[in-house]
Amino acid sequence: MHTPASVHDGTAVHIQTRRIATLHAAFQAHPERFRGRRPYPPALPTKVWINQPPAASETDTSPQSTQVA
């Protein structure tokens, strides 16, 4: 729910704070929509990326060879 850039530059914390305030305001205005439980956004991710790197066990440590025809 956050961009990699916002997590890396630290703005995700501010975005998360605003989301919590918005969810609490919505809960106070209409608690029946939330079945009596106060909503919270998901926890902030610890790692983010655009393209997930391969797992360490999947990486090939041998140099790539190219064949010329």
Side-chain angles (χ1 to χ4, degrees):
M1 303 283 289
H2 293 279
T3 64
S6 71
V7 174
H8 286 293
D9 66 17
T11 58
V13 175
H14 302 293
I15 294 168
Q16 189 82 340
T17 303
R18 289 193 322 242
R19 286 180 181 173
I20 291 171
T22 301
L23 288 170
H24 288 306
F27 178 76
Q28 287 183 344
H30 301 283
E32 70 278 2
R33 292 184 181 178
F34 300 96
R35 299 182 188 161
R37 295 186 319 198
R38 187 175 296 271
Y40 287 95
L44 288 175
T46 56
K47 295 180 181 180
V48 293
W49 46 78
I50 294 173
N51 297 319
Q52 183 176 0
S57 62
E58 295 177 6
T59 58
D60 184 11
T61 58
S62 64
Q64 293 181 349
S65 62
T66 57
Q67 294 180 348
V68 179

